Amino acid sequence: MNQQEQATQHAAIFQDTINGTNDPTPWPVTMWASSGDTIWTAGTARTAGEDSVGMIYDPGDTIVHRNTIAGDVTRATESFAIRPADGQSPMDAMLAGIEQWNHRHPDRWDTVCVLSSWSRPFRRFF
């Protein structure tokens, strides 16, 4: 595989992770951050439950997953909950949590726009 193919594959794996394709959660990803082959994704739990790495959560908890690229996919390797302090944005809370729990500062981060009108099931009419 040449460098262009590797870069394209890495971008596709990265996007699949943000979209929740590789390790789906029962809630949409609303924030992400990355550093090297590590991608953190965060979303707010809609119900109580347990995630793929054993984190128990309640409705309203914002859970951050640390995902590591391993070959053609990413795997969630750990998770933690964030609780923004008064006046602190959820993004700042996620970045602070990454520094606290993983002792790293991501290279890139952003939010994810979730369009509710696109989340409806697709219907074919013919």
Side-chain angles (χ1 to χ4, degrees):
M1 184 180 309
N2 66 36
Q3 282 185 323
Q4 180 63 38
E5 290 169 331
Q6 287 176 334
T8 301
Q9 181 184 27
H10 190 271
I13 292 168
F14 184 88
Q15 191 63 48
D16 283 350
T17 303
I18 291 172
N19 290 337
T21 305
N22 291 336
D23 189 19
T25 58
W27 56 78
V29 170
T30 56
M31 299 177 289
W32 64 270
S34 70
S35 178
D37 284 345
T38 301
I39 305 164
W40 293 269
T41 57
T44 302
R46 295 178 176 168
T47 60
E50 183 176 349
D51 70 12
S52 62
V53 293
M55 172 71 135
I56 296 173
Y57 53 83
D58 290 319
D61 286 350
T62 300
I63 307 300
V64 179
H65 282 147
R66 178 183 178 187
N67 303 279
T68 304
I69 295 176
D72 294 342
V73 296
T74 54
R75 299 216 184 274
T77 54
E78 73 179 320
S79 59
F80 56 89
I82 59 170
R83 292 176 179 81
D86 289 339
Q88 184 182 36
S89 73
M91 178 63 75
D92 287 341
M94 180 181 76
L95 295 173
I98 291 168
E99 288 187 20
Q100 176 185 355
W101 291 101
N102 300 137
H103 308 291
R104 293 173 74 178
H105 186 74
D107 304 324
R108 300 181 299 163
W109 58 89
D110 207 347
T111 58
V112 177
C113 179
V114 178
L115 302 173
S116 61
S117 63
W118 292 104
S119 64
R120 296 181 189 151
F122 176 75
R123 294 186 186 147
R124 299 180 99 172
F125 296 98
F126 46 49

